[in-house]
């Protein structure tokens, strides 16, 4: 299949591009490089033997996106492009609505114009809000507690309406739980700008000596050890979920929300303990107050993905941490 991958030089996008090329799909990447670098392209080439077609463009730029569709024969789109930092979204909400929501509408309008109506969209478990009890399943009510989450929910709702308005659309809204890990080669991984917001890149940078200590946000949650529990999923399993989704689009009805998670929960202190054992490095940490907006426990019911996509996550937590450590220790400054 010939695919447009927006946000394809980013963390999840780049891992998905590797798996797509390895399965024989043709890929055109569009990315504005606001949170990634073209350095990943040669890493993709080294792994797959193919230097992917790359266009530096913004999904909000209707003319540039129209040119992409007129110059390339696109059958389906995997749409990763977006801003993703929850804290930042509280500070600059308009940028988040503009980039994520307006940008997505522009993309969908151009897809419609070129009669490309197959789409896989990067949604998030954040759309389950704070009132549902895990395991979270796709029938539960959705809500959002910050502008980032609102953008994911708005785009999901737009896609639901779009699929109702025209039955030719076939859409998978993949709700990711907590993607971590890196390519097993150690040549590609997460490369956050500045101080990481998320647990795993933060722990990895403590282990490699770039950061002094981890702050554990609260140890008084109602969880076995008091720290937050999440459903960590290997980025390569996630990437393979996208391939199953894109290949299933012909058979999917309308717009389907689908969880991509493992169904298992792991606490912050369990992550610290495993990372320490695998890396052989000390991970100094301090318990600090809870982070505003965090909830105790989030993990998936992953049955729908198995039923509809014949997909389930197979890489365990040790593999996730081993691969994160290989990437971080071999590339202490990311792609630089
Ligand atoms: P990332 O920042 O590494 O990748 C996103 C890419 O999109 C970047 O390369 C960035 O430069 C690009 N981009 C942003 N705005 C753009 C625009 N207007 N036009 C063109 N390119 C643009 O993030 P990621 O972790 O790979 O996440 C990919 C998607 O998955 C995002 O939509 C994110 O919201 C979603 N998601 C991520 C997580 C996570 O924890 N990583 C969890 C749930 C959902
Ligand atoms: N945590 C720490 N210290 C840190 C960072 C995180 O203790 O420095 C804890 C958090 O309190 C939480 C766990 O580690 O208990 C995981 O936190 P992350 O920031 O890695 O992930 P979140 O579950 O908070 O957020 C992720 C994505 C969001 C998405 C959300 C939805 O980053 O984009 O999942 O489930 F919205």
């Amino acid at each position: 299949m010939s695919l447009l991958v927006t946000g394809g030089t980013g963390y999840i996008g780049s891992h998905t591009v590797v798996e797509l090329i390895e399965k024989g799909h043709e890929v055109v990447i569009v990315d504005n490089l606001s949170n990634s670098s073209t350095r990943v392209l040669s890493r993709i080439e080294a792994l797959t033997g193919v230097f992917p077609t790359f266009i530096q463009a913004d999904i909000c730029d209707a003319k540039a996106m129209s040119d992409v569709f007129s110059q390339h024969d696109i059958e389906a789109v995997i749409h990763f492009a977006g801003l993703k930092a929850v804290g930042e979204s509280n500070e600059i909400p308009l940028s988040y609505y503009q980039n994520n929501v307006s940008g997505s509408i522009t993309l969908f309008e151009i897809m419609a114009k070129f009669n490309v109506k197959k789409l896989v969209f990067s949604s998030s478990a954040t759309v389950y809000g704070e009132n549902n009890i895990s395991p979270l399943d796709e029938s539960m009510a959705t809500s959002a507690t910050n502008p980032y989450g609102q953008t994911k929910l708005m785009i999901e709702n737009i896609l639901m309406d779009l699929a109702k308005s025209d039955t030719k659309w076939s859409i998978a809204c993949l709700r990711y739980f907590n993607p971590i890990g890196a390519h097993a080669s150690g040549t590609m991984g997460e490369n956050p700008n500045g101080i990481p917001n998320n647990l795993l890149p933060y722990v990895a940078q403590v282990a490699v000596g770039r950061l002094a200590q981890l702050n554990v946000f609260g140890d008084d949650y109602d969880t076995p050890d008091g720290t937050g529990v999440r459903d960590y999923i290997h980025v390569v399993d996630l990437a393979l979920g996208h391939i199953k989704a894109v290949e299933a689009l012909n058979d999917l009805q309308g717009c389907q929300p689908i969880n991509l998670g493992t169904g298992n929960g792991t606490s912050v202190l369990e992550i610290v303990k495993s990372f320490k054992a695998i890396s052989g490095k000390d991970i100094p940490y301090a318990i600090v107050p809870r982070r505003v907006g965090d909830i105790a426990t989030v993990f998936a019911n992953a049955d729908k993905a198995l039923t509809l996509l014949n997909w389930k996550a197979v890489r365990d937590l040790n593999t996730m941490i081993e691969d994160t450590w290989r990437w971080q220790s071999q590339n202490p400054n990311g792609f630089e």
Side-chain angles (χ1 to χ4, degrees):
M1 208 185 282
S2 142
L3 295 156
L4 170 63
V5 181
T6 74
T9 47
Y11 171 46
I12 305 168
S14 58
H15 287 81
T16 304
V17 166
V18 166
E19 301 304 323
L20 285 168
I21 293 173
E22 287 187 343
K23 297 266 173 329
H25 296 290
E26 283 166 38
V27 174
V28 175
I29 297 175
V30 164
D31 201 298
N32 67 0
L33 303 178
S34 59
N35 197 36
S36 56
S37 135
T38 52
R39 290 192 183 97
V40 75
L41 297 170
S42 52
R43 308 279 176 111
I44 294 172
E45 183 186 25
L47 289 171
T48 63
V50 175
F51 192 90
T53 305
F54 172 72
I55 298 156
Q56 183 173 351
D58 197 298
I59 56 162
C60 302
D61 181 342
K63 164 80 173 67
M65 294 308 294
S66 244
D67 289 348
V68 170
F69 281 84
S70 50
Q71 287 161 17
H72 299 273
D73 185 19
I74 308 287
E75 289 167 68
V77 176
I78 306 184
H79 176 30
F80 293 104
L83 300 174
K84 63 164 185 176
V86 172
E88 182 185 65
S89 79
N90 287 312
E91 287 153 26
I92 49 168
L94 292 179
S95 302
Y96 272 68
Y97 289 113
Q98 171 64 31
N99 193 75
N100 293 6
V101 181
S102 299
S104 294
I105 293 173
T106 301
L107 171 67
F108 306 153
E109 279 176 340
I110 288 159
M111 288 176 68
K113 188 171 127 195
F114 285 86
N115 205 27
V116 177
K117 296 185 175 175
K118 293 190 179 126
L119 173 69
V120 175
F121 169 61
S122 295
S123 188
S124 165
T126 194
V127 303
Y128 290 110
E130 37 186 29
N131 297 321
N132 292 305
I133 308 287
S134 291
L136 301 171
D137 76 64
E138 294 85 348
S139 68
M140 288 175 167
T142 52
S143 63
T145 52
N146 55 67
Y148 167 72
Q150 288 286 4
T151 68
K152 292 294 172 193
L153 203 47
M154 284 180 179
I155 298 165
E156 280 204 7
N157 288 333
I158 290 166
L159 291 173
M160 292 284 178
D161 289 341
L162 187 57
K164 272 186 225 152
S165 75
D166 176 354
T167 53
K168 292 200 192 72
W169 281 91
S170 172
I171 302 168
C173 287
L174 302 181
R175 294 177 174 168
Y176 314 156
F177 282 69
N178 289 60
I180 64 167
H183 193 271
S185 62
T187 60
M188 280 182 20
E190 191 169 8
N191 187 30
N193 276 334
I195 304 217
N197 298 308
N198 296 118
L199 180 64
L200 260 291
Y202 203 107
V203 170
Q205 291 193 16
V206 172
V208 87
R210 272 174 74 177
L211 294 168
Q213 73 166 30
L214 171 71
N215 290 322
V216 175
F217 299 141
D219 68 350
D220 56 352
Y221 285 105
D222 183 15
T223 60
D225 65 19
T227 64
V229 167
R230 296 291 182 275
D231 184 340
Y232 297 96
I233 171 166
H234 197 296
V235 67
V236 173
D237 277 333
L238 197 67
L240 293 169
H242 288 74
I243 288 161
K244 290 284 193 178
V246 91
E247 290 174 352
L249 285 177
N250 277 337
D251 304 319
L252 280 191
Q253 301 286 316
C255 176
Q256 293 284 349
I258 304 172
N259 288 342
L260 294 186
T262 64
N264 304 316
T266 305
S267 76
V268 176
L269 291 181
E270 285 172 327
I271 292 279
V272 171
K273 192 173 162 207
S274 299
F275 211 104
K276 193 173 163 182
I278 285 167
S279 66
K281 302 285 179 186
D282 197 19
I283 318 277
Y285 69 85
I287 308 290
V288 301
R290 293 179 178 193
R291 182 170 65 179
V292 175
D294 276 358
I295 53 179
T297 301
V298 178
F299 63 93
N301 172 323
D303 293 350
K304 189 172 174 184
L306 185 59
T307 311
L308 276 192
L309 308 181
N310 190 28
W311 171 92
K312 70 173 183 173
V314 295
R315 289 163 180 77
D316 65 11
L317 191 70
N318 278 349
T319 307
M320 299 182 213
I321 293 180
E322 281 160 13
D323 290 343
T324 303
W325 179 238
R326 190 175 304 107
W327 156 249
Q328 184 69 66
S329 53
Q330 291 179 7
N331 305 267
N333 297 311
F335 289 110
E336 277 126 57

